[in-house]
Amino acid sequence: MKITEGRVIVTSPGRNFVTLRLETEDGLYGLGDATLNGRELAVATYLNEHVAPALIGRDARNIEDIWQYLYKGAYWRRGPVTMSAIAAVDMALWDLAGKRLGVPVHELLGGRSRRDVMVYGHANGQTIEDTLEAVARYLDLGYKAIRAQCGVPGLGKAYGVGRGELHYEPAEPGLAPEHEWSTERYLEVAPELFARLRQEFGTEVHLLHDAHHRLTPTEAGWLGQRLEPHRLFWLEDAVPAENQDLFRQLRAHTTTPLAVGEVFNSVFDLHTLVTERLVDYIRTSVVHAGGITGVRKIAALMEPYQVRLGSHGATDLSPVCMAAALQVDISINNFGVQEYMRHTEETDAVFPHEYHYADGALHPGSAPGLGVDLDEDLAAAYPYEAAALPVNRLLDGTVTSW
Ligand code: EZ4
Ligand code: CO
């Protein structure tokens, strides 16, 4: 089962996606997502120049060995560009393995641990009233878990408060835009939002919230305490993710469950958080954390500490990543929830997939491999367009720090 070709396809059906297609000598092919929002071409180049040539002639059946070879063979370990490239290879190899054996990938990962994969969507509004309406719409669609965000009074566009309803696209065309931010004003509105949500919708629905790395542990502890009566499913990215030490102070000050990790790419980004049990959920995604193999290593570390996986699944993670994430989610024991923001119709047409939504959950389907394809002719109709995630400045012009 020698690998004969590795090709990178960049397409922008509403947003940019980078996909790796690996082909083997018997004519089978596997797909892997390599999309890194705002830095897409760095990963495409890394794959084209450094990874694809090293795969030709290798046996596609040796998934673990190829993962280790790429991880250690880079010498410069970890990092989002490297780990997204490794992830793409890994997903494509699992896809190939499933197709070769005629089974969905989760059957190779130990089978199903649950019936379906609970998902959450983003309910956004400029005001609290708008957000209440957005939550009601998700409830009508059957969602059991909903992330709620609202605008901050007196501020322009706030990051994390999306445009559109079921879609969410925080990247903007061109270079990184600059937005304004005020923690003081945010801390006024956030507890009020959740008080209103519980009043309107009761205690049954799981409510989530994302603070996007903008608070200090003191501010986050204050917020977490005020959210305790409203029993959140989680408070995400309350403090900057890259300093694991900050979570000790935060954890000591609130029993609101904590989630972090959409920007993580290896076990060494989170080992302190897990082994000291400073968070409840880790949000690494298959694409940014070294693929199915990378996320399974992370999930295995988390399991005895009762830390659960709550994978990142915003619109910038392609249907290939979503298909791969669902194979992991359904198979591991310590799964919590999967983020799910729907892709545009154009994206769904470029990436036909087996997974489907019903009753607040995604179902991975039973097609061999990952259960997702790429229509290359259609993909070619959507050329790459530069876009980037925003930077926030405080009201006096200072870039928000760590
Ligand atoms: O901002 O996917 O929880 N979800 C998020 C996402 C991220 C984007 C970054 O590319 O915070 O919406
Ligand atoms: Co987030």
Side-chain angles (χ1 to χ4, degrees), residues 37 120 122 147 159 168 170 210 212 236 262 283 312 314 316 339 389:
N37 200 357
Y120 74 90
H122 300 186
R147 187 186 97 163
Y159 182 65
Y168 169 61
D210 193 344
H212 290 295
E236 175 187 344
E262 67 187 39
R283 291 189 30 72
H312 191 202
D316 50 296
E339 184 179 21
L389 292 163

Side-chain angles (χ1 to χ4, degrees), residues 2 16 22 47 52 64 74 105 151 169 171 190 225 243 288-289 302 308 317 341 383 385 391:
K2 283 193 177 134
N16 294 317
L22 288 185
L47 280 168
E64 178 68 25
V105 167
E169 184 48 77
Q225 279 183 16
N243 185 348
H288 299 139
M302 287 154 49
R308 293 190 280 166
L317 292 92
M341 288 309 288
E385 291 170 40
V391 170

Side-chain angles (χ1 to χ4, degrees), residues 90-161:
D90 187 75
M91 277 180 253
L93 293 177
W94 280 106
D95 193 22
L96 278 164
K99 285 172 173 168
R100 193 179 67 250
L101 299 169
V103 293
V105 167
H106 62 263
E107 288 192 23
L108 304 176
L109 304 178
R112 288 174 181 245
S113 282
R114 57 191 51 77
R115 281 186 298 278
D116 54 25
V117 173
M118 182 171 77
V119 296
Y120 74 90
H122 300 186
N124 299 306
Q126 265 317 310
T127 63
I128 289 179
E129 294 306 320
D130 295 345
T131 308
L132 293 176
E133 281 172 29
V135 168
R137 281 194 293 274
Y138 272 100
L139 287 170
D140 286 344
L141 292 169
Y143 280 73
K144 297 177 172 66
I146 303 169
R147 187 186 97 163
Q149 310 286 133
C150 81
V152 177
L155 294 190
K157 250 186 309 186
Y159 182 65
V161 180

Side-chain angles (χ1 to χ4, degrees), residues 19-95:
T19 310
L20 176 69
R21 184 186 187 278
L22 288 185
E23 200 167 312
T24 55
E25 56 190 343
D26 50 5
L28 284 179
Y29 66 91
L31 298 176
D33 181 22
T35 308
L36 183 61
N37 200 357
R39 295 293 183 267
E40 293 87 356
L41 299 186
V43 189
T45 305
Y46 191 101
L47 280 168
N48 275 323
E49 300 296 324
H50 305 294
V51 175
L55 295 175
I56 308 305
R58 285 181 196 277
D59 191 330
R61 289 172 295 195
N62 297 333
I63 301 175
E64 178 68 25
D65 181 71
I66 291 176
W67 193 95
Q68 298 285 347
Y69 170 79
L70 292 174
Y71 183 80
K72 290 173 189 144
Y75 187 81
W76 312 104
R77 297 183 187 193
R78 309 193 278 158
V81 174
T82 298
M83 296 308 284
S84 298
I86 294 176
V89 174
D90 187 75
M91 277 180 253
L93 293 177
W94 280 106
D95 193 22

